[in-house]
Amino acid sequence: KQEVTQIPAALSVPEGENLVLNCSFTDSAIYNLQWFRQDPGKGLTSLLLIQSSQREQTSGRLNASLDKSSGRSTLYIAASQPGDSATYLCAVQKGAQKLVFGQGTRLTINP
Amino acid sequence: DADVTQTPRNRITKTGKRIMLECSQTKGHDRMYWYRQDPGLGLRLIYYSFDVKDINKGEISDGYSVSRQAQAKFSLSLESAIPNQTALYFCATSDPFGTGSTDTQYFGPGTRLTVL
């Protein structure tokens, strides 16, 4: 059974810092890995999707990497801003579009 | 207007009551999903539907049922609600085969359900 773990559960950093969120998964036979952002009352928003054949994806200040062999992904946020405060969820897909989610990392950026 | 909407947004009910959560989408996607989220846990898949005639159980389907009334509508029912079904429920859609599409799922805003 695929299990996805995110560390840390919560993170608080000053504005402007670069930071890394971690995601690990137990079964390396994945189709893709996705990072979502969750804001209270607004559901989930997809940030980045990395196909199993890819090593990383970038969007603006965000960079996600994937190492299937070690079962790890990281989400790097550069020059953090208060608007980046949210919960970040990692999810892996293995067939039939069924996503298995991690518990999330609650990020707070302090002005 | 939001592409994926859920009603109600908040609901408080009592143990044993039947309750229905509704999801509508204007994205024209064939695939729809219901998830629940509990504090400290990630989202877990309850049911998913690849088209109107194709409905499948997810990881935690016991105590739930679904109906896919149309391509745009997918409802989740709790036949006899119990307190441990108190959670945040999300609907999602996807269209992996559409022009220019990806495997991304698009989520509604969620329904917060409390069972007393």
Side-chain angles (χ1 to χ4, degrees):
Chain A
K1 178 183 176 183
Q2 178 71 271
E3 294 183 359
V4 180
T5 304
Q6 292 185 245
I7 295 173
L11 181 64
S12 181
V13 300
E15 180 178 3
E17 283 201 3
N18 303 324
L19 58 99
V20 174
L21 307 182
N22 296 293
C23 172
S24 62
F25 48 95
T26 54
D27 184 351
S28 62
I30 63 171
Y31 184 62
N32 64 46
L33 183 143
Q34 302 179 44
W35 283 93
F36 292 87
R37 169 181 172 141
Q38 182 176 15
D39 294 284
K42 294 186 179 181
L44 279 70
T45 301
S46 179
L47 297 173
L48 290 165
L49 183 153
I50 311 175
Q51 300 288 359
S52 63
S53 58
Q54 298 174 323
R55 298 282 295 183
E56 65 177 351
Q57 283 287 336
T58 298
S59 176
R61 294 182 293 108
L62 304 180
N63 176 274
S65 68
L66 174 63
D67 184 343
K68 273 200 336 175
S69 61
S70 66
R72 294 181 180 179
S73 176
T74 61
L75 179 65
Y76 175 82
I77 302 177
S80 58
Q81 303 170 357
D84 294 330
S85 296
T87 296
Y88 290 80
L89 294 163
C90 163
V92 298
Q93 180 181 330
K94 182 176 180 179
Q97 288 220 308
K98 289 183 288 185
L99 295 176
V100 179
F101 283 83
Q103 313 95 310
T105 294
R106 187 172 65 253
L107 176 65
T108 303
I109 308 298
N110 301 304
Chain B
D1 289 340
D3 294 320
V4 184
T5 57
Q6 294 183 233
T7 57
R9 294 294 312 279
N10 289 282
R11 180 71 183 267
I12 299 174
T13 191
K14 295 182 178 180
T15 297
K17 294 292 187 182
R18 183 179 188 276
I19 184 168
M20 178 181 290
L21 309 183
E22 298 185 345
C23 176
S24 295
Q25 52 114 345
T26 59
K27 300 186 75 66
H29 290 173
D30 284 329
R31 299 187 173 190
M32 298 186 72
Y33 311 80
W34 275 106
Y35 294 89
R36 67 176 278 177
Q37 185 179 35
D38 298 278
L41 300 177
L43 279 71
R44 291 180 292 168
L45 183 64
I46 305 172
Y47 271 95
Y48 61 102
S49 170
F50 283 176
D51 64 40
V52 175
K53 297 181 180 179
D54 181 9
I55 293 178
N56 305 278
K57 293 182 178 180
E59 180 186 354
I60 52 166
S61 59
D62 288 347
Y64 301 94
S65 62
V66 292
S67 174
R68 184 80 184 268
Q69 300 95 325
Q71 185 200 42
K73 296 184 181 297
F74 192 35
S75 60
L76 176 72
S77 294
L78 287 66
E79 297 300 326
S80 180
I82 56 177
N84 75 3
Q85 291 177 314
T86 293
L88 187 57
Y89 289 84
F90 287 102
C91 172
T93 75
S94 71
D95 179 24
F97 305 116
T99 301
S101 68
T102 69
D103 295 316
T104 298
Q105 294 188 15
Y106 298 87
F107 284 79
T111 294
R112 185 168 297 281
L113 176 66
T114 302
V115 183
L116 302 176

